[in-house]
Amino acid sequence: MTKILSIKDLHVDVGNTSIVNGLNLDISSGETHAIMGPNGSGKSTLAKTIAGHPDYKIRSGTIMYRDHDLNDLSIEERSNLGVFLGFQYPIEIPGLSNTAFLKAAINAKRKYHNLGDLSASDFLVDLKEKSRMMDIEQKFLSRGVNEGFSGGEKKRNEILQMLMLEPVLSILDETDSGLDIDSMKVVASGVNAFRNENTASLIITHYERLLNYITPDYVHVFHNGAIIKTGDIQLARDLEEKGYEWLTNP
Amino acid sequence: MANQSLNQSDHMDKLQSFIENDSRNLPDWVNQGRESAFKNYKDICNKQLKTATWKNTKLNSMLDNFFEKEFTDQETSLNQFELDSTLEDSLRIFFHSGAFFTEEEMPSYIRFLKGNYSEENQAIFRLENSSERQSIPYLLNNIISRDALLIETAENQHVEKLIHIVHLPHKNANIAPRLNIVLAKNSSIKIIDEQLSSGDSIINNYIDIKCEEHSSLDYYKVSHAQNDSHQINSLNLDQEANTNVNVFSLDLGADSASSLNHLKLNGENSNVSCSTLFMPSIDRSSHHNIIIDHLSDKSSSSVNYRGIINDHGVGSFFGKIKVTKERRNTSAFMQNKNLLLSDDSKISTIPILEIYNDDTECSHSATSGSLDKEKLFYLKTRGINEYDAKNFLIKSFMDELVSQIKSRRLREYVNGLILGYRKD
Ligand SMILES: Nc1ncnc2c1ncn2[C@@H]1O[C@H](COP(=O)(O)OP(=O)(O)OP(=O)(O)O)[C@@H](O)[C@H]1O
Ligand SMILES: [Mg+2]
C-alpha cells in the first residue's frame, strides 16, 4: 500500500475568502474515501484545488500526490500523472465531438509519457466497450462534448472519461446527484471497475445511496472547509438519518 | 487609428493622368467607362470618406498610397506559386497581374477577356451606373480593372463541379479583380473565391451577383492574411423570386480589410444566408459591413458573423436589415459573436434591424467576450495543454458556421486555415 494523496494543514482562498481551513487527509492505494458535508462547506473547492483550478489559491499547507507537490504542476500535468476530477457540473463544448476529445486526451497523456499515439482501432475498441458499460449510445459519441446531454448522461459521460483515461486517483464530485436508480447502478459499476489495489477514489456525495453500491473504506464529514469527523459507512447512515446538526452543533 | 486627411486634389490629378496615360491600348468603351466612373468618383469621394464606414477603416491611407503600387501587367506562370491541392478536382481559374487565366478548357458559361476587347466582350464587365453602385470601391474598380470574370449559367443548368477562383499572391501591386455571376432561371452553381496572401498591395475586389427566379448559389470567399496590404471585398447581390443564396466568408485580416455587402431580396420567397468568420491577429484588422434590403414579401435573411480577434487585432461589425412597412411574412435574423483572445484585441459591433411592420419574424444579438475559463479548465483536467485547449475552443466557437459548409473537403480546408493561423 503506497500513499497516493497526502494533504497537510491546507488553507485555500478564493479571492479574499478562506474556504478550506486546515484540512488534513491521507489516501493510500486501494482505498476509497467518501466526503459528505453541507452545501457550501468547501467540498468542490477542495476537488478543484487538487485539480489545479486557477481561482483557488493555496495560502498554506501542501498537497502531495505520490512524489509530487501538486502546487508545482500545471492542470494538464496533474491529469497526465493520473489525477482525475469528475465534475459536479460537467461542461458542454459544442463542435468538439466526444470521440475527438477523448482521443486528444488519451494521446496527450501518452505523449507526456513518451508514448506514440494510440492506434485508431485500439482506441475505438476500448471506447466501444467502455461506453457500452456506461450505457452511452454510439451516436452520442459523435455529438459535441456533453452537448445536449441530460443531467444523468453528463454524469455517466464523466465516468466514461475516467475509464478511458485510466487515472490513479479519481475524485468524483457529486457524480451521483440527479441520477435515477438505473444510472446510479451504472455509475457505481464504473467506479467499481476502476477500483483496484493501485488506484484510489475520493467520492464527494450528499447521499448514502451511492455508498451502498461503492462501499467506502472511510467516510469523512466536511464542515467549514475541514474534516470534523471520520468513520465508516455507518457514519453515512447516521448522517442520512440525523442530518449534520448533531455534529456541527453538538 | 490616425485618420490623416487625404490630399484630394493631388489624388484626383493622379487618377486623371492614370486614365489618360494608361499605355495598354484600351478600346474606347473601356476608356469611356473609366471616364464616367471617374466623374462620379469625384462627386462622391469627399462625402463618402466622411461616413462611419470609411472613417474607421484606414481607407484614407489606402488612397494616399494608391499610386505607390504597381499596376502590374506581366504574364504569369503558375510554376512560381505553391498551391494547395485540397480542392484540386474543381475547375480552377487564376487571377494575377490584373488578368484572369486558366490552364484548362473553360466551359461556355465561364468567360473572361484574354486580351480580347471586342464589343461582344463588353458584357463581361457589366458596367452599370445605377445610383446605388456609386461607392468608392466600385468606381475605383471601374477605373483600374481591365479584365473581368463572368460566370453565367444557362437556364436549367446545374453545375456539379466546384468553381475555384484563385487570386495568386502579389507584391506591391494595385489590383481590382472584378467578378460577375449571373444565374439564369432554375440553375445552380457553387463557387469558391480564394485570395492568397499578398504583401504591400491594394486589392479591391468587386463581386456582382444576380440570381434569376428559382436559382441557387453557394458562394464561398476565403481571404488569407494579407501583409501590409489593404483589401476591400464588395459584394452586390440581387435575388429574384424563389432563389436561395448562401454566402460564406473567411477573412484572416489585412493591414486594413473591409467587406461591404449589399444584399437585395427583390422577389418573393428569396432566401439569403450570409455567414462570415473573421480572425484578425498580430496588428491586422477586419471590418464588416452588411446591408440587407427586404424588397419583397415572404423573403428571409439570416446573417451570422463571428470574429476571433487576437494580439493587437481590430475587428468591427456593422449590420443593417431593412424591411419596409408594406412587406408581409418576412423573417430576419442577425447575430454577431466575438471572441477576444488577448487584452489588446479590439472589437466593435452594431447590429440594426430597421423593421417598420409587425409581420416580420426577427431577432438580433451581439456578444463579445474572452475564452471561457471553465471550459479551458475542463479541457486541461483531461490532460490537454493550453495551446490545444484554446484551439479546441476556437474551433468550437466557429463550428456552428463551419459545419454549415456542405462540402466536406471545403469544411476541412477551412478548419485547417482556422487552426493554422495561430501558428503564424
Ligand atoms: N469561484 C468562486 N468565487 C467565489 N466564491 C466561491 C467560488 N467557489 C466557491 N466559492 C464559495 O466557496 C464556498 C464553498 O463552495 P463549494 O462549491 O466548495 O461548496 P460545496 O461544499 O461543494 O457545496 P455543494 O454541496 O453545494 O456543492 C461557497 O460559499 C461558495 O460560494
Ligand atoms: Mg460542490
Side-chain angles (χ1 to χ4, degrees):
Chain A
M1 225 171 45
T2 54
K3 211 168 246 182
I4 289 195
L5 188 74
S6 178
I7 300 179
K8 298 242 175 319
D9 195 27
L10 183 70
H11 294 257
V12 177
D13 292 349
V14 181
N16 293 323
T17 319
S18 173
I19 311 275
V20 173
N21 306 295
L23 174 78
N24 293 290
L25 177 64
D26 285 301
I27 300 180
S28 296
S29 56
E31 291 179 353
T32 298
H33 292 236
I35 287 185
M36 302 181 82
N39 294 134
S41 57
K43 306 180 296 296
S44 295
T45 300
L46 171 64
K48 289 190 210 171
T49 305
I50 296 171
H53 195 293
D55 287 354
Y56 301 88
K57 301 271 185 275
I58 297 179
R59 177 161 33 95
S60 63
T62 52
I63 310 175
M64 294 298 292
Y65 167 70
R66 299 197 291 185
D67 300 334
H68 308 276
D69 185 335
L70 280 188
N71 213 16
D72 298 338
L73 301 179
S74 68
I75 305 164
E76 58 270 29
E77 279 176 302
R78 298 176 200 209
S79 168
N80 291 326
L81 288 167
V83 177
F84 180 85
L85 170 60
F87 280 53
Q88 181 174 0
Y89 304 108
I91 307 283
E92 292 190 20
I93 307 178
L96 169 60
S97 76
N98 283 284
T99 305
F101 172 53
L102 283 169
K103 202 185 263 176
I106 286 171
N107 285 331
K109 179 175 178 180
R110 291 177 66 90
K111 191 171 171 194
Y112 184 82
H113 295 285
N114 294 318
L115 296 168
D117 282 0
L118 190 63
S119 85
S121 60
D122 287 353
F123 169 76
L124 287 174
V125 168
D126 197 31
L127 178 59
K128 205 164 184 181
E129 184 198 322
K130 286 168 177 167
S131 53
R132 191 175 299 141
M133 189 171 161
M134 281 302 99
D135 204 11
I136 293 175
E137 282 181 61
Q138 293 297 305
K139 66 169 192 231
F140 278 61
L141 297 171
S142 52
R143 275 210 236 156
V145 175
N146 293 319
E147 189 182 1
F149 282 34
S150 74
E153 286 160 356
K154 283 181 183 168
K155 297 299 179 73
R156 294 206 302 273
N157 200 23
E158 293 290 287
I159 301 298
L160 172 63
Q161 290 171 28
M162 175 192 82
L163 293 173
M164 292 299 291
L165 284 168
E166 302 180 336
V168 176
L169 171 66
S170 178
I171 304 162
L172 301 179
D173 191 357
E174 294 198 30
T175 304
D176 56 332
S177 291
L179 294 186
D180 64 26
I181 314 272
D182 291 339
S183 287
M184 175 85 77
K185 285 182 187 162
V186 168
V187 162
S189 74
V191 177
N192 284 327
F194 158 77
R195 290 168 77 177
N196 64 44
E197 71 271 20
N198 298 315
T199 62
S201 315
L202 179 60
I203 295 173
I204 298 170
T205 180
H206 284 295
Y207 309 103
E208 174 213 0
R209 232 167 33 141
L210 177 71
L211 304 181
N212 290 326
Y213 297 104
I214 307 169
T215 316
D217 303 296
Y218 301 93
V219 174
H220 309 283
V221 178
F222 214 71
H223 182 62
N224 280 340
I227 289 170
I228 54 167
K229 191 173 176 66
T230 294
D232 58 16
I233 182 79
Q234 189 53 47
L235 177 56
R237 292 188 181 129
D238 292 346
L239 288 170
E240 184 86 26
E241 208 173 295
K242 304 194 233 172
Y244 293 106
E245 190 78 351
W246 61 285
L247 285 173
T248 55
N249 272 327
Chain B
M1 213 172 299
N3 194 10
Q4 326 108 277
S5 69
L6 173 73
N7 184 339
Q8 291 234 10
S9 65
D10 184 47
H11 176 66
M12 295 301 169
D13 286 351
K14 283 178 175 161
L15 266 181
Q16 172 96 54
S17 85
F18 171 81
I19 294 171
E20 282 164 9
N21 300 320
D22 194 354
S23 58
R24 291 172 295 192
N25 236 341
L26 299 167
D28 285 349
W29 65 266
V30 175
N31 283 324
Q32 278 156 17
R34 287 182 168 187
E35 270 153 28
S36 106
F38 181 52
K39 189 172 153 293
N40 291 331
Y41 182 75
K42 279 191 287 196
D43 289 344
I44 59 130
C45 185
N46 195 27
K47 209 161 97 204
Q48 261 186 30
L49 283 175
K50 293 194 178 112
T51 60
T53 311
W54 295 124
K55 268 196 195 148
N56 304 326
T57 52
K58 293 196 199 169
L59 195 86
N60 274 333
S61 74
M62 179 196 92
L63 296 181
D64 268 340
N65 297 326
F66 203 73
F67 290 96
E68 285 163 25
K69 315 290 175 195
E70 287 169 37
F71 298 85
T72 55
D73 200 8
Q74 81 261 17
E75 287 279 306
T76 307
S77 140
L78 266 189
N79 302 333
Q80 52 182 310
F81 302 102
E82 264 179 51
L83 294 174
D84 191 285
S85 57
T86 318
L87 301 167
E88 214 154 48
D89 70 354
S90 55
L91 194 58
R92 292 207 289 187
I93 304 154
F94 301 94
F95 179 87
H96 196 264
S97 298
F100 290 93
F101 66 99
T102 176
E103 301 225 303
E104 52 201 306
E105 185 85 24
M106 281 293 117
S108 58
Y109 58 87
I110 297 180
R111 291 163 69 195
F112 45 89
L113 294 184
K114 292 188 190 141
N116 174 358
Y117 290 97
S118 63
E119 289 287 316
E120 74 185 78
N121 271 352
Q122 267 197 56
I124 296 174
F125 267 88
R126 296 186 75 228
L127 294 169
E128 275 182 49
N129 237 339
S130 64
S131 62
E132 69 190 31
R133 281 169 202 265
Q134 305 302 314
S135 71
I136 292 176
Y138 177 72
L139 296 170
L140 279 179
N141 186 289
N142 277 0
I143 295 169
I144 301 302
S145 64
R146 58 191 176 85
D147 194 3
L149 175 64
L150 172 65
I151 300 175
E152 186 170 24
T153 57
E155 276 189 29
N156 304 316
Q157 181 182 21
H158 297 279
V159 179
E160 289 303 326
K161 210 166 195 181
L162 180 69
I163 312 296
H164 187 185
I165 304 161
V166 184
H167 298 258
L168 296 166
H170 285 91
K171 275 257 164 298
N172 201 45
N174 188 338
I175 52 166
R178 184 174 185 84
L179 168 60
N180 292 310
I181 302 170
V182 181
L183 268 70
K185 281 185 189 155
N186 190 36
S187 70
S188 65
I189 200 164
K190 295 183 276 293
I191 297 167
I192 167 167
D193 191 4
E194 183 173 20
Q195 176 73 59
L196 301 177
S197 286
S198 289
D200 298 300
S201 292
I202 293 175
I203 303 162
N204 177 15
N205 276 299
Y206 194 87
I207 299 115
D208 191 86
I209 304 175
K210 188 153 182 55
C211 295
E212 300 292 353
E213 289 172 21
H214 293 281
S215 62
S216 90
L217 170 71
D218 289 336
Y219 174 73
Y220 303 95
K221 176 88 203 176
V222 175
S223 302
H224 294 246
Q226 310 297 324
N227 300 312
D228 303 311
S229 296
H230 296 276
Q231 174 176 273
I232 304 177
N233 290 322
S234 312
L235 171 70
N236 184 71
L237 168 72
D238 280 279
Q239 275 181 253
E240 303 311 320
N242 302 300
T243 51
N244 289 302
V245 173
N246 291 305
V247 176
F248 175 92
S249 312
L250 171 67
D251 179 18
L252 299 182
D255 189 25
S256 81
S258 309
S259 79
L260 303 159
N261 294 352
H262 190 184
L263 317 182
K264 281 155 284 172
L265 301 169
N266 303 318
E268 282 196 5
N269 288 312
S270 48
N271 309 305
V272 67
S273 135
C274 183
S275 303
T276 293
L277 305 178
F278 56 101
M279 315 179 67
S281 58
I282 312 179
D283 55 2
R284 299 189 184 110
S285 71
S286 186
H287 300 283
H288 299 273
N289 190 302
I290 179 168
I291 296 175
I292 297 191
D293 279 317
H294 282 258
L295 300 169
S296 66
D297 295 349
K298 298 185 206 150
S299 52
S300 77
S301 62
S302 168
V303 172
N304 204 336
Y305 279 61
R306 295 208 173 178
I308 293 191
I309 328 292
N310 204 358
D311 311 316
H312 286 81
V314 179
S316 72
F317 170 79
F318 174 90
K320 190 194 266 187
I321 300 183
K322 298 194 275 191
V323 188
T324 52
K325 205 170 157 199
E326 314 79 61
R327 298 282 78 84
R328 292 289 161 264
N329 220 332
T330 53
S331 87
F333 165 88
M334 179 159 51
Q335 187 182 64
N336 170 227
K337 283 191 187 177
N338 304 298
L339 196 52
L340 299 166
L341 293 184
S342 110
D343 293 342
D344 301 311
S345 318
K346 288 198 190 73
I347 181 79
S348 78
T349 172
I350 308 177
I352 301 173
L353 295 181
E354 271 186 15
I355 295 173
Y356 298 101
N357 67 62
D358 50 16
D359 200 19
T360 296
E361 200 185 311
C362 63
S363 71
H364 73 304
S365 63
T367 55
S368 300
S370 47
L371 279 177
D372 186 322
K373 274 186 356 195
E374 298 305 319
K375 286 183 180 169
L376 264 182
F377 176 61
Y378 190 64
L379 290 169
K380 289 181 183 175
T381 64
R382 298 326 187 224
I384 295 167
N385 66 37
E386 168 114 1
Y387 186 86
D388 291 341
K390 282 188 172 170
N391 266 352
F392 278 133
L393 294 183
I394 289 170
K395 194 167 162 286
S396 160
F397 180 75
M398 297 301 205
D399 189 68
E400 205 182 307
L401 299 196
V402 176
S403 63
Q404 291 167 6
I405 300 177
K406 287 164 213 151
S407 146
R408 184 180 56 87
R409 285 169 66 205
L410 191 53
R411 211 164 47 234
E412 283 169 5
Y413 184 58
V414 167
N415 266 327
L417 290 177
I418 290 174
L419 297 185
Y421 104 108
R422 284 189 68 214
K423 299 193 181 82
D424 265 5

